[in-house]
Amino acid sequence: MSHQQRPFRLGVYGGSFDPVHLGHLLLAETCREACELDRLLFLPCGQSPHKPLGSVATGQQRAEMLEFAVAGDSRFGVCRVELERSGPS
C-alpha cells in the first residue's frame, strides 16, 4: 500500500509591517493554523500603495524587525522580493 504525502502548504502574508507588532504575529499564527500551513512567509512591501508618503522605517529595517520577531520559529520566514523591485507593491 502506497502512502501519499500531503503537499507542502505555504502561505504569504503581505503588508508594510511598519512596525511589526503582536497583532501581525497573532493573525499570522491564526491563519497558519486555520489553513493548516506548513510555513508562512511575511512579505514586507517595498512601496505601499496605501501609504503614499512612504514608511517610517526603511524596507531593510522592516525586514530585519520581522526576522527578529520570527527568529527561532521555523514555521515562519521573511521574503524580501518586494523590497528588491521598484513601484508600488
Side-chain angles (χ1 to χ4, degrees):
M1 184 159 120
S2 68
H3 295 289
Q4 285 198 348
Q5 192 174 25
R6 175 177 75 76
F8 185 82
R9 296 177 60 99
L10 175 68
V12 178
Y13 178 14
S16 59
F17 305 109
D18 191 22
V20 63
H21 54 74
L22 186 57
H24 293 126
L25 301 175
L26 290 173
L27 180 61
E29 177 58 15
T30 300
C31 291
R32 194 196 61 75
E33 287 179 357
C35 295
E36 300 179 2
L37 301 175
D38 297 300
R39 187 161 168 83
L40 185 138
L41 296 178
F42 288 86
L43 183 69
C45 67
Q47 178 185 341
S48 174
H50 307 294
K51 296 182 180 180
L53 299 178
S55 298
V56 174
T58 66
Q60 176 71 21
Q61 291 168 329
R62 292 180 287 116
E64 288 173 0
M65 285 188 278
L66 282 165
E67 287 167 347
F68 183 76
V70 302
D73 191 336
S74 63
R75 300 170 301 173
F76 298 104
V78 179
C79 177
R80 294 174 177 245
V81 69
E82 285 294 314
L83 302 176
E84 299 165 3
R85 61 182 290 281
S86 62
S89 295

